[in-house]
Amino acid sequence: MTAATTVWLKNPLGIHTGAEADAAGGIVVRGAEIVELVARGGTPEHAIDETFDASRHVVIPGLINTHHHFYQTLTRAWTPVVSAELFPWLQGLYGVWAGLTPRDLELATTAALAELLLSGCTTAADHHYLFPSGLEAGIDVQVDVVRRLGMRATLTRGSMSLGQADGGLPPQSTVQDADTILADSERLVGAYHERGDGAFVQIGLAPCSPFSVTTEVMRETAELAERLDVRLHTHLAETLDEEDFCRERFGLRTVDYLESVGWLGDRTWLAHGIHFDDDEIGRLGAAGTSVAHCATSNMRLASGIARAVELEERGVHVGLGVDGSASNDGSNMIQEVRQALYLQRLRYGAASVTPERALGWATAGSARALGRPDLGVLAPGRQADLAMFTLDDLRFSGSHDPVAALLLCGAERADRVMVGGTWRVVDGAIVGLDLEQLIAHHSEAARQLLARHG
């Protein structure tokens, strides 16, 4: 067996480790792990095989996206829903999405992951809940794409079982029965879920939302997740319409409903989490539940502003998510950090929400939300997942704090990205991916999807 190569990423222009240690002299990577942080002016204690001059680069932990819908890259900026809020937006798009094919999902997933990777993201969670006829193996398709790109992903087996005929929001062609949902969930965990440090593919269980899944499926999914020891994910408290739906259908507020079906615990991370009251924030924190803050989507759909600082201070793990590319119209994670920084400053002021805090949500906070103690911080023993940005563009000219400049000056694209000690982005390009061909095929698939819809 060949010994792992030891690489020194030497003297970065700037670095955010997410930890207190001095790493101004760089990072030492051996194989898939970080083995040493080098202080300013220091040299590594480890024997070095290769040295990479990082003096042009700002280094941060690989960004971790905790909420997405990869398939939605095919319906960005669709005219009928450009100015719609959540419920009418969903009702307008459900019929389009019902026509997804396996090839559509493959291209959509590739496009979403490629865009994320180029923006410095190394781990992404996807919430896929659409399984119309012919797309029953949707998660299997996504696993293949993740492995091809060499990223990490938490792929969630989503579900919808409450159709329009039973008082739900989605059309009947997009819902499945409970037995089908639970059987496929168990199959996917058995087939693909990797455990322990360094895992590349993990499977979570993710009923879509209270307005698209029956109480029985919510409860039985929680029981299955407990038995299989995997994580739980759903949308919750995204809009006031959802709050009204829960009150009318269940006689409960959203967090009360969550608790009633066995979801209020540290296995769960929730998308959005905007409309919680003070008591509910405390209950979520005490339970160890996590929240994926999706700033851009929340602004795009006029859903509200999550109480991210209060959630974090009460013990909730706060991560960031770009959300679907039909409610964000992009999958750029470094831009999402900037949006979260600015949106949360509107609520809490500039002093309370620093660039470092926002980066912390997108790295260590997101890692905690996904149950990944091996990710999110640049420290010895953690996985060597990192993103490196240059500040050579005009937008950065005249900037002084390299880490703050990534957000304040609007970084868009990483120059290099490493996942598990392997370069996946080099000189701003994804290794082994023909981006022009992907764009051509993906764009054609998007046109055909709308043509089939009529």
Side-chain angles (χ1 to χ4, degrees), residues 64 66 231 269 290-292 312 316-320 357-372 375-377:
I64 300 172
T66 57
R231 296 186 79 72
W269 88 101
S290 304
V291 167
E312 186 174 50
V316 176
H317 302 312
V318 175
L320 294 189
R357 186 170 201 168
L359 282 168
W361 289 332
T363 52
S366 286
R368 286 190 289 267
L370 297 184
R372 295 298 303 261
L375 307 178
V377 175

Side-chain angles (χ1 to χ4, degrees), residues 126-141:
D126 189 54
H127 189 181
H128 187 79
Y129 51 80
L130 277 164
F131 297 89
S133 179
L135 198 62
E136 290 84 359
I139 305 300
D140 305 77
V141 170

Side-chain angles (χ1 to χ4, degrees), residues 21 25 65 74 107 138 157 174 182 221 234 240 279 307 392-393 403 407 416 444:
N65 177 33
L74 294 164
L107 289 167
R157 205 299 182 183
T174 64
L182 296 168
T221 299
T234 194
L240 293 174
D279 176 68
R307 297 168 65 181
D392 300 335
D393 291 347
V403 173
L407 305 188
R416 281 186 170 253
E444 178 60 24

Side-chain angles (χ1 to χ4, degrees), residues 370-406:
L370 297 184
R372 295 298 303 261
D374 55 329
L375 307 178
V377 175
L378 300 179
R382 302 292 183 104
Q383 292 293 299
D385 290 12
L386 52 89
M388 302 172 66
F389 297 81
T390 61
L391 304 186
D392 300 335
D393 291 347
L394 179 60
R395 74 184 66 203
F396 299 110
S397 181
S399 63
H400 299 275
D401 181 331
V403 173
L406 291 180

Side-chain angles (χ1 to χ4, degrees), residues 144-438:
D144 289 342
V145 176
V146 170
R147 289 175 172 170
R148 197 181 313 143
L149 288 177
M151 292 179 68
R152 303 187 201 274
T154 297
L155 301 173
T156 65
R157 205 299 182 183
S159 55
M160 296 197 295
S161 63
L162 187 67
Q164 290 174 343
D166 300 308
L169 217 60
Q172 294 302 120
S173 62
T174 64
V175 301
Q176 296 178 304
D177 63 76
D179 289 344
T180 299
I181 292 165
L182 296 168
D184 194 48
S185 296
E186 185 157 7
R187 176 188 71 84
L188 290 165
V189 173
Y192 300 119
H193 185 69
E194 302 171 15
R195 300 184 186 276
D197 290 356
F200 274 85
V201 175
Q202 294 195 320
I203 303 295
L205 306 185
C208 184
S209 64
F211 52 80
S212 58
V213 178
T214 63
T215 297
E216 291 73 25
V217 166
M218 287 290 288
R219 185 175 291 114
E220 290 172 5
T221 299
E223 292 169 355
L224 182 62
E226 180 75 23
R227 178 163 64 83
L228 300 179
D229 190 22
V230 294
R231 296 186 79 72
L232 285 167
H233 184 53
T234 194
H235 298 91
L236 199 78
E238 181 177 1
T239 66
L240 293 174
D241 285 343
E242 179 188 340
E243 189 71 52
D244 292 341
F245 181 94
C246 285
R247 285 180 180 276
E248 292 169 10
R249 187 172 183 88
F250 311 119
L252 298 168
R253 284 178 58 85
T254 52
V255 174
D256 292 326
Y257 178 68
L258 195 74
E259 185 171 27
S260 76
V261 291
W263 277 63
L264 190 60
D266 60 5
R267 190 180 300 281
T268 300
W269 88 101
L270 306 169
H272 304 292
I274 298 169
H275 299 287
F276 297 136
D277 62 26
D278 292 346
D279 176 68
E280 289 166 338
I281 290 174
R283 290 165 63 195
L284 291 164
T289 303
S290 304
V291 167
H293 174 39
C294 305
T296 302
S297 174
N298 296 165
M299 289 186 278
R300 160 79 155 81
L301 296 175
S303 301
I305 304 176
R307 297 168 65 181
V309 169
E310 292 159 271
L311 285 162
E312 186 174 50
E313 290 177 348
R314 298 289 295 278
V316 176
H317 302 312
V318 175
L320 294 189
V322 299
D323 202 3
S325 296
S327 68
N328 179 320
D329 304 293
S331 302
N332 190 303
M333 194 61 191
I334 191 66
Q335 289 186 342
E336 192 65 33
V337 185
R338 187 179 198 238
Q339 295 278 61
L341 172 75
Y342 288 158
L343 182 62
Q344 292 301 318
R345 282 187 171 188
L346 283 179
R347 181 181 282 278
Y348 299 107
S352 294
V353 188
T354 63
E356 289 79 10
R357 186 170 201 168
L359 282 168
W361 289 332
T363 52
S366 286
R368 286 190 289 267
L370 297 184
R372 295 298 303 261
D374 55 329
L375 307 178
V377 175
L378 300 179
R382 302 292 183 104
Q383 292 293 299
D385 290 12
L386 52 89
M388 302 172 66
F389 297 81
T390 61
L391 304 186
D392 300 335
D393 291 347
L394 179 60
R395 74 184 66 203
F396 299 110
S397 181
S399 63
H400 299 275
D401 181 331
V403 173
L406 291 180
L407 305 188
L408 301 183
C409 301
E412 292 181 332
R413 190 159 178 162
D415 182 63
R416 281 186 170 253
V417 178
M418 176 182 284
V419 184
T422 299
W423 293 116
R424 299 299 184 187
V425 173
V426 175
D427 297 331
I430 297 173
V431 176
L433 181 68
D434 186 333
L435 197 59
E436 289 187 8
Q437 183 183 74
L438 171 62

